[in-house]
Amino acid sequence: GDLSLSHPAQCAVLVLCGAVHGEKSWQVQTAVKLVLLFWLSSSNAFQTRDWNEELQTTRELPRKNLPERLLRERAIFKVHSDFTAAATRGAMAVIDGNVMAINPSEETKMQMFIWNNIFFSLGFDVRDHYKDFGGDVAAYVAPTNDLNGVRTYNAVDVEGLYTLGTVVVDYRGYRVTAQSIIPGILEREQEESVVYGSIDFGKTVVSHAKYLELLEKTSRPLKIQRHKVLNDKDEEVELCSSVECKGIIGNDGRHYVLDLLRTFPPDLNFLPVEGEEMPEECQRMGFPKQHRHKLCCLRQELVDAFVEHRYLLFMKLAALQLMQQKANKQESGSTLLENGSSPTSPFPENGMEDGKKSPLEDGQVEEKVAGLDRVKELTETIASDDGAVDPKSREVIQNACKAVGSISNLSFDIRFNPDIFSPGVRFPDSSKDQIQDQKQLLKDAAAFLVSYQIPGLIKDCVDHTVLPMDGATLVEAMHQRGINMRYLGKVVDFITKTPARTQLDHVYKIGITELITRSAKHIFKTYLQGVELSGLSAAISHFLNCFLSSFPNPVAHLPTDELISKKKNKRRKNRNLGNADNTTWASMSPQELWKNICSEAKAYFDFCLECESVDQAVEVYSLQKITLLREISLKTGIQILLKEYNFDHRHKPAFTEEDILNIFPVVKHVNPKASDAFHFFQSGQAKVQQGFLKEGCELISEALNLFNNVYGAMHVEICACLRLLARLNYIMGDYSEALSNQQKAVLMSERVLGIEHPNTIQEYVSTSWGFTRLMGRNIPSTCALALFSVPIQTVFHVLSPLLSLCRDPPNLQSFRDLPSPMPLCLSC
C-alpha cells in the first residue's frame, strides 16, 4: 500500500522485518522482534510518550509475590529514569528559549510550557499565590517541598491513590518544575477540576469521600491527623491532609493528589507566631527566628525520630506506673503522670521536671523488662476492646497517652495536623482543645530537634559513628537525623562550644566550607539570571575569580557584539527572565561578593563569618581553595577544565572563559526503591551485627541479585552491596573473593559517584587493603593504590579531615599498620 515514512529508522525496521519474513529460524525472528520493541520503547519514532499513563500503569502492576514485585519495581525504575531524563532535557530547552510557551502573551515569568507531554512551570510567584508565604522566595522553595511530599506518598504506595511524575531542575539560576499531565486537566478550569482540598490556601475548601478513604490509609505511616477546617461559608470540612493538597479525578478515572508542599508539620523554630511562646530549649538557641519564607517544614526523619522518642517515654512511664501499682505504694489517682500533666501543658522531653531525679535513672524499669511487656499486652488488649482490662490498668494507659500527646486515650498514636499555624486556615470551635494539643506537640517537636537531634549528631561525630568527609556526607548525616540545612549555622556553633572541639576540627572545617559555598550558591543563582547564553562562560569565570582568586581586581570580558547576531538578539529579547540589564554581573568585585556572602550566611544560617576575602577565609578557618571550588561546582553544575589552577597569583586571575566548559542542570527527583532487595540488605546487616557472618553474607548476596534485577548493572545500592560483601569475605578469610568484589565496587563507584567522591576514595583504600593481604604484608598500601591508578593527591585531598585525626603525620604508609581493613578506622 501507499505508506509514507517520515523517519529513516522506520524504513530500516521495515526492511529488516522484510528480510527475515518467512525465515524459519525462531532465533532470528525473536531477535528482530526484540530489536523492534526496544526501538519503539526507547525512541520517539512515531509519537511522543504519554508519560502520565506510563507512570501510573507501572504502579498498577500486580505485586502479590516476589517475581511480580521485581517486575513492577523494574518497570517503575525504568519509566522514572526515562521521565527524569526527558524532563531535564525539556527544562534546559525552556530556559534556553527553545520551547514555545502555551501562554505567550503573558509576562515572561508567568509563562508555562508543554514539551514532550510534560508540563513546565517556573519558580516565580506569578499571581501572588504565595504572597502570604514569602512571595518569590516561597515559590522557589515550594517545588522541593512538593517533591518531598510526592516522594513520601510514593513510598507509602497506597493502591488507588496516584501522584504526578515530578522533577525539579535548577539551571542557569532558574528553577523549573516538570510534571506529568493529568488527563483532561487542560480542558477545564482548576476550580472545576479540584474535588478535594483548596485552591486558595483555605478560603474555599471541599472534600470528597473517596479521597478521605484513600488518604486515611496514608495518615498512620505519615503521622497526619484527620481534622476539620472551616470554609468561606463557615461550614466544617473534613480533611486528611493539608488544605493545599488538591484532589483531582482525571479523565482516566484515577484519583490524583498534587500540591503536597505541606505534607509535614511546620517548623516553629523558623515560624514566629504572635502570642505563642517557644520552649526554653529553643529560646536558648535564639529561636524562634524569622525566616525569609513561611514554608519551613519538619523533615520526615525528624517526625519519625520524635514519634519513636515519645513511644519510648510512653512505654517507660506506663511500666513505671504498673510497678508502683504492683508494689501498692499508692492507692490510685496519685501516680507520676497525674501530678500536673495535662494535654495542653508542656511535657518535659526527658520525662521529668527540671531539677528532680527521674525514677527511670535508678534502673528499675530497665531491670524489670516484664513491666514493658505488660504495657504492650495491655495496649493490645485495650485496642481489641474485649473488656478484659481492669480499670486501674486502663487508667495507666490513658495517663501515659495523655502525657506524651497521643490523639487516642487507649493506645499510643501520635499524629500531626499540618494546617496548624497555616495562614488563612480556620478551625471550628468544637476542636479548640485538639488544636491546643497540636500546638504543644509542634513546640515539643521543635524543642526535640535542638535539644536531642543536634547534640546527638555532634556526639555521633565525636564517637566516629558518623564521619563526614565532605559537604555531601555532612548534609546526608544531618538529613538522616531530620535536621534541615537551615540549622547548619547552629550545628557549627554547637561544635565550637562542645568540649571535644579539637576532635571535631575536620567537621568544623566542612561545616564552614558548606556555609560559604551555600551562601555563594544563593548569590550565584541571582547573579546568573541576568546573563545571556552567549556571555555565560565569561560571567561564570568572573564569578569564580571574585570568589576564589587572590587577584584583587578581576575584569569581566563582555561578549563582543559581532558574536551576537541582531536576529538572535531580537529573538531572545523577551526570553530573558532576569533583569533588563544583562551586563550588571560584570560590575561585581571580590569585595562586594564576599560582603554579600557574609551577609547571606548571617541572614540565612544565623552565622557570622569572620572574613572579608577568600584569602582571609582560608587563613582564619584553615580551608583549601580547591575544596571550595569543588563544592561550588557540584552545587551549581559548573564544569571546568581539568588543570592546575593558580588561585594565589596576585597579578593574573585564576580563571578565563576557556576554563568554563559547560553548566549542567542540578536535578532533584524521586528515587524508586527496590523494597525486597532493601529488606534483604537490612536483614543481612542485622545478621552481621549479631555475629552470624555466613547467614549475613548469604542475605547480602541475595540482595545483590535483586538489586541487579531492578536497577540493572550500575547503581549506588549495588555498590554498597559489593562493598559489604568484600568486607565480609575479608573477615572470613576469603581474600581473593574479597578483592574481586572490592574491585567491582571501585569501578562502579567511579562510574556512579565519580573519582573524587569520598566513597570512591574509601573503595580504593579498601581495595589496597585486600591487595596487600593477598600479596603479602610486605607491600605498602601506597604501592597497592598505585597499582589501581588512583592519584595519591586525590586520596590526601578527600581524606585530609581524617588524616588530621591521626597522631602520626599524614602518610599512607601507616595505613597498613592499622588493625582493620575498614577505612573508617582511620579516625580512631
Side-chain angles (χ1 to χ4, degrees):
D2 184 14
L3 180 64
S4 61
L5 300 175
S6 59
H7 198 288
Q10 301 176 25
C11 303
V13 172
L14 290 179
V15 169
L16 182 60
C17 293
V20 298
H21 182 67
E23 175 65 50
K24 294 182 179 180
S25 172
W26 65 269
Q27 293 96 333
V28 175
Q29 293 181 351
T30 303
V32 171
K33 292 178 181 178
L34 288 175
V35 170
L36 180 61
L37 287 173
F38 175 77
W39 174 72
L40 289 174
S41 64
S42 62
S43 69
N44 297 327
F46 298 113
Q47 61 180 5
T48 56
R49 295 169 66 173
D50 188 345
W51 292 110
N52 187 73
E53 185 62 28
E54 290 190 38
L55 289 167
Q56 312 310 339
T57 301
T58 53
R59 302 197 73 85
E60 292 172 344
L61 291 173
R63 44 181 162 172
K64 295 180 181 178
N65 49 51
L66 181 59
E68 288 181 350
R69 288 195 297 272
L70 287 177
L71 181 63
R72 178 177 182 267
E73 289 172 349
R74 182 164 63 240
I76 290 175
F77 179 74
K78 176 67 169 61
V79 173
H80 268 88
S81 300
D82 292 347
F83 175 75
T84 301
T88 304
R89 290 196 301 270
M92 294 174 67
V94 166
I95 297 302
D96 290 338
N98 299 325
V99 179
M100 178 67 72
I102 60 176
N103 54 339
S105 61
E106 298 275 4
E107 185 186 349
T108 309
K109 293 184 178 182
M110 300 176 67
Q111 290 179 351
M112 296 172 286
F113 308 84
I114 292 180
W115 180 86
N116 197 10
N117 275 338
I118 304 175
F119 177 79
F120 298 92
S121 58
L122 301 172
F124 296 106
D125 187 16
V126 292
R127 291 183 174 86
D128 290 337
H129 192 62
Y130 296 97
K131 181 180 179 180
D132 296 332
F133 293 88
D136 280 345
V137 178
Y140 187 87
V141 172
T144 54
N145 286 7
D146 183 36
L147 181 64
N148 290 333
V150 171
R151 185 182 291 120
T152 304
Y153 276 93
N154 282 351
V156 176
D157 205 6
V158 171
E159 189 172 353
L161 189 65
Y162 300 89
T163 57
L164 301 182
T166 305
V167 176
V168 179
V169 181
D170 292 326
Y171 180 60
R172 289 179 52 191
Y174 300 103
R175 172 157 290 180
V176 183
T177 305
Q179 293 177 307
S180 59
I181 302 174
I182 299 176
I185 192 173
L186 300 177
E187 301 170 4
R188 54 184 185 266
E189 294 294 331
Q190 188 181 31
E191 293 82 357
E192 301 173 1
S193 303
V194 175
V195 298
Y196 174 88
S198 174
I199 62 172
D200 48 16
F201 289 96
K203 294 178 183 177
T204 57
V205 191
V206 292
S207 189
H208 193 278
K210 182 63 176 179
Y211 273 100
L212 288 175
E213 177 188 343
L214 292 171
L215 291 171
E216 180 67 32
K217 298 176 183 178
T218 68
S219 62
R220 190 171 188 85
L222 298 185
K223 316 295 189 298
I224 296 177
Q225 184 186 26
R226 191 163 177 164
H227 60 281
K228 294 181 180 180
V229 298
L230 296 177
N231 61 13
D232 53 349
K233 300 178 182 178
D234 290 336
E235 298 172 342
E236 294 186 5
V237 180
E238 191 169 21
L239 298 175
C240 204
S241 64
S242 65
V243 293
E244 294 87 358
C245 174
K246 299 173 183 59
I248 297 178
I249 303 176
N251 288 352
D252 53 2
R254 296 188 178 104
H255 292 76
Y256 295 91
V257 286
L258 58 154
D259 287 352
L260 305 173
L261 62 155
R262 293 182 73 95
T263 299
F264 299 107
D267 184 358
L268 295 190
N269 286 330
F270 289 90
L271 187 67
V273 180
E274 186 178 355
E276 297 290 341
E277 185 177 356
M278 293 296 291
E280 184 181 350
E281 302 96 313
C282 300
Q283 294 182 18
R284 280 199 301 263
M285 296 190 72
F287 294 116
K289 179 179 178 295
Q290 185 70 51
H291 204 53
R292 53 185 59 174
H293 62 83
K294 297 182 179 180
L295 294 180
C296 297
C297 297
L298 300 174
R299 293 185 63 87
Q300 183 184 12
E301 298 90 343
L302 189 280
V303 173
D304 293 340
F306 175 75
V307 172
E308 182 180 355
H309 174 74
R310 280 297 171 96
Y311 179 70
L312 292 176
L313 284 178
F314 168 79
M315 296 295 291
K316 289 180 179 179
L317 292 170
L320 180 61
Q321 284 194 90
L322 290 174
M323 291 167 56
Q324 290 174 342
Q325 282 188 355
K326 187 176 181 180
N328 292 324
K329 291 182 179 179
Q330 297 178 348
E331 291 291 332
S332 62
S334 58
T335 59
L336 173 68
L337 297 178
E338 292 174 347
N339 292 329
S341 293
S342 66
T344 58
S345 64
F347 184 75
E349 281 297 311
N350 57 2
M352 60 181 176
E353 296 292 341
D354 293 339
K356 296 182 180 180
K357 182 181 177 182
S358 169
L360 304 179
E361 291 179 1
D362 58 8
Q364 294 180 9
V365 177
E366 286 76 2
E367 292 175 3
K368 298 190 177 182
V369 185
L372 296 176
D373 294 336
R374 174 61 177 160
V375 174
K376 291 181 180 179
E377 181 183 346
L378 277 176
T379 53
E380 292 173 359
T381 306
I382 293 175
S384 63
D385 197 22
D386 58 1
V389 181
D390 63 280
K392 289 187 178 180
S393 298
R394 185 182 294 271
E395 185 181 2
V396 166
I397 300 300
Q398 288 177 347
N399 288 334
C401 290
K402 184 179 179 182
V404 298
S406 173
I407 64 172
S408 171
N409 291 328
L410 303 178
S411 63
F412 178 84
D413 188 9
I414 285 185
R415 304 189 192 189
F416 291 89
N417 183 342
D419 288 328
I420 298 294
F421 297 121
S422 182
V425 178
R426 299 179 301 135
F427 300 97
D429 294 336
S430 58
S431 57
K432 186 176 181 179
D433 293 339
Q434 188 184 83
I435 298 304
Q436 288 299 323
D437 295 347
Q438 283 293 315
K439 288 181 179 180
Q440 184 58 48
L441 199 62
L442 288 177
K443 294 177 183 178
D444 293 343
F448 173 76
L449 193 154
V450 298
S451 60
Y452 275 79
Q453 296 303 89
I454 292 180
L457 172 66
I458 305 305
K459 182 179 182 300
D460 288 343
C461 290
V462 173
D463 298 338
H464 302 130
T465 307
V466 174
L467 195 60
M469 298 176 67
D470 68 344
T473 48
L474 176 62
V475 171
E476 182 182 359
M478 290 177 63
H479 284 173
Q480 285 177 349
R481 285 152 185 78
I483 305 173
N484 304 80
M485 290 312 298
R486 55 182 173 268
Y487 288 95
L488 180 60
K490 299 299 181 183
V491 172
V492 177
D493 271 336
F494 198 93
I495 292 175
T496 60
K497 298 174 183 177
T498 186
R501 166 68 178 84
T502 54
Q503 293 178 253
L504 297 173
D505 185 59
H506 64 293
V507 183
Y508 179 77
K509 291 178 183 177
I510 294 172
I512 293 293
T513 301
E514 196 71 8
L515 277 168
I516 293 175
T517 52
R518 283 183 175 268
S519 299
K521 182 190 73 170
H522 295 167
I523 299 168
F524 183 74
K525 177 195 71 174
T526 308
Y527 169 89
L528 213 58
Q529 287 181 0
V531 180
E532 287 282 358
L533 189 61
S534 58
L536 212 51
S537 59
I540 294 174
S541 62
H542 180 64
F543 183 89
L544 292 179
N545 282 326
C546 293
F547 182 47
L548 295 173
S549 178
S550 297
F551 185 56
N553 299 307
V555 178
H557 298 283
L558 295 173
T560 57
D561 294 337
E562 289 79 7
L563 299 179
I564 309 174
S565 66
K566 293 182 179 180
K567 182 178 179 180
K568 185 177 182 181
N569 220 12
K570 184 177 180 181
R571 180 171 66 87
R572 293 192 183 278
K573 184 176 181 181
N574 294 327
R575 289 295 301 119
N576 180 29
L577 301 174
N579 300 321
D581 186 1
N582 297 329
T583 60
T584 53
W585 57 268
S587 61
M588 175 177 282
S589 65
Q591 296 79 13
E592 179 189 355
L593 174 60
W594 275 94
K595 181 180 179 181
N596 292 338
I597 287 175
C598 294
S599 300
E600 180 69 13
K602 178 61 179 176
Y604 195 91
F605 299 105
D606 195 22
F607 187 86
C608 294
L609 289 172
E610 300 174 356
C611 55
E612 297 178 355
S613 66
V614 62
D615 294 323
Q616 194 173 355
V618 168
E619 181 181 355
V620 171
Y621 298 109
S622 302
L623 306 179
Q624 300 180 52
K625 291 185 179 180
I626 189 68
T627 305
L628 293 171
L629 176 61
R630 175 180 181 269
E631 292 292 342
I632 193 67
S633 299
L634 290 174
K635 287 175 173 59
T636 57
I638 299 173
Q639 184 186 39
I640 60 173
L641 186 66
L642 180 61
K643 72 173 189 181
E644 195 74 26
Y645 291 95
N646 187 357
F647 299 104
D648 300 325
H649 203 298
R650 294 193 172 273
H651 304 288
K652 182 181 177 182
F655 299 93
T656 63
E657 294 181 45
E658 290 73 21
D659 296 328
I660 310 302
L661 301 182
N662 205 346
I663 181 167
F664 288 92
V666 178
V667 184
K668 301 176 183 178
H669 59 93
V670 176
N671 292 307
K673 296 293 184 182
S675 55
D676 289 289
F678 191 66
H679 175 72
F680 273 98
F681 185 72
Q682 285 185 316
S683 301
Q685 286 179 316
K687 286 291 184 182
V688 171
Q689 290 176 354
Q690 294 169 9
F692 303 105
L693 300 184
K694 187 175 180 181
E695 293 85 347
C697 192
E698 291 174 354
L699 288 169
I700 298 296
S701 299
E702 183 61 28
L704 178 62
N705 293 331
L706 297 180
F707 277 131
N708 275 308
N709 278 330
V710 175
Y711 296 137
M714 289 281 180
H715 197 271
V716 65
E717 300 288 356
I718 298 176
C719 189
C721 277
L722 289 170
R723 181 191 312 127
L724 187 52
L725 278 176
R727 292 178 180 179
L728 290 174
N729 291 329
Y730 186 96
I731 294 172
M732 294 189 293
D734 191 352
Y735 302 122
S736 60
E737 186 67 19
L739 184 60
S740 174
N741 285 326
Q742 190 59 44
Q743 282 179 309
K744 295 176 186 176
V746 166
L747 294 173
M748 197 168 300
S749 185
E750 272 189 16
R751 294 286 187 88
V752 176
L753 300 174
I755 183 106
E756 87 290 345
H757 196 278
N759 286 5
T760 305
I761 304 302
Q762 290 192 45
E763 303 297 359
Y764 267 116
V765 175
S766 297
T767 304
S768 70
W769 272 101
F771 191 85
T772 302
R773 186 72 185 208
L774 189 63
M775 301 301 293
R777 296 291 292 180
N778 58 341
I779 177 173
S781 294
T782 49
C783 297
L785 285 167
L787 289 173
F788 293 100
S789 303
V790 60
I792 300 300
Q793 294 87 348
T794 306
V795 178
F796 277 126
H797 166 59
V798 179
L799 295 184
S800 57
L802 306 183
L803 295 171
S804 65
L805 298 177
C806 300
R807 293 180 180 177
D808 299 329
N811 121 46
L812 289 177
Q813 181 71 27
S814 63
F815 283 9
R816 63 189 179 93
D817 300 324
L818 294 173
S820 167
M822 305 280 283
L824 295 182
C825 292
L826 294 175
S827 57
C828 299

